[in-house]
Amino acid sequence: MTTKNHHGVTDQAADAAILQSCRMLRLPTIRAQFAATAESAEREHLSYLGFLAELLMAECEDRDRRRSERRIKAAGFPRSKWLSDFDFDANPNVQPATIHTLATCDWVRNGQPLCLIGDSGTGKSHLLIALGTAAAMAGFRVRYTLAAKLVNELVEAADEKQLTKTIARYGRVDLLCIDELGYMELDKRGAELLFQVLTEREEKNSVAIASNESFSGWTKTFTDPRLCAAIVDRLTFGSNFIETGTDSYRLSHTRAQQAATNTG
């Protein structure tokens, strides 16, 4: 049965008008949910204001979620990692309170650096990606890259006279996450270009790095001692510093699984 409201508009015409308006105003959530929300509002005797509030809140929540998803995607993380999945019991070096403080993203807001130092398998990359994801969800623009990839990109950009543009692009994001710093030796040119990116961001926007080398071992990566000292200085001034240790919990987890299989 087609019913009419007080102004003589049929429900069918009202539906069509709402769909059309939602398309014009770009309100996909309201467009998808208005019929079901109207039904439940009628059942629960919700006021007009209550009904409108429900629809608008649903649209806002969805819009926030979609924005977060876009920022996470734009960051270029190689895989999904969440702070809720980090196994603090497996790595007692990492204090939950410290990570929960970092999860508030105040350090990103204040443009401070973050250094995660520890051996392979101790959770550095997990924390780097998870804290980067938390920052993206909090509304910050984040970019993730491997150190070697970043340096190669900078060298190519310099060769093609695009260096200023590339450095500006890396300078613009609120948080730059550099993974696997210290895994390979960088020649003087590569190190200088990386230093330019760090200088561009200094005390304005945050840099978070994960490295398997303590700072004293960075002379193997940055062979020019003066440049090495300058880069360490850039990354440690006002830095949040986390040592994830030397015991690979990834390795112990694999060993535990193998032991369980062998005894099973």
Side-chain angles (χ1 to χ4, degrees), residues 1-3 5 9-23 30-36 38-39 51:
M1 187 181 78
T2 305
T3 57
N5 64 22
V9 178
T10 63
D11 285 354
Q12 217 173 355
D15 282 359
I18 292 167
L19 287 168
Q20 175 69 3
S21 302
C22 285
R23 262 195 287 272
I30 291 179
R31 192 173 78 224
Q33 293 184 16
F34 78 88
E39 270 181 40
F51 165 65

Side-chain angles (χ1 to χ4, degrees), residues 2 4 16 25 30 62 68 70 120 140 161 171 175 183 206 225:
T2 305
K4 291 190 175 185
L25 295 168
I30 291 179
D62 242 21
S68 289
R70 278 200 299 274
S120 288
F140 295 104
K161 308 279 189 288
L175 170 61
Y183 278 69
S206 291

Side-chain angles (χ1 to χ4, degrees), residues 106-113 201-207:
D106 281 345
W107 61 286
V108 183
R109 217 165 272 118
N110 299 328
Q112 294 170 342
R201 302 183 59 78
E202 191 185 16
E203 290 182 48
K204 290 186 298 188
N205 296 326
S206 291
V207 175

Side-chain angles (χ1 to χ4, degrees), residues 248-262:
S248 168
Y249 72 73
R250 216 168 30 218
L251 189 62
S252 49
H253 179 67
T254 308
R255 282 190 186 137
Q257 276 186 325
Q258 282 170 347
T261 309
N262 294 340

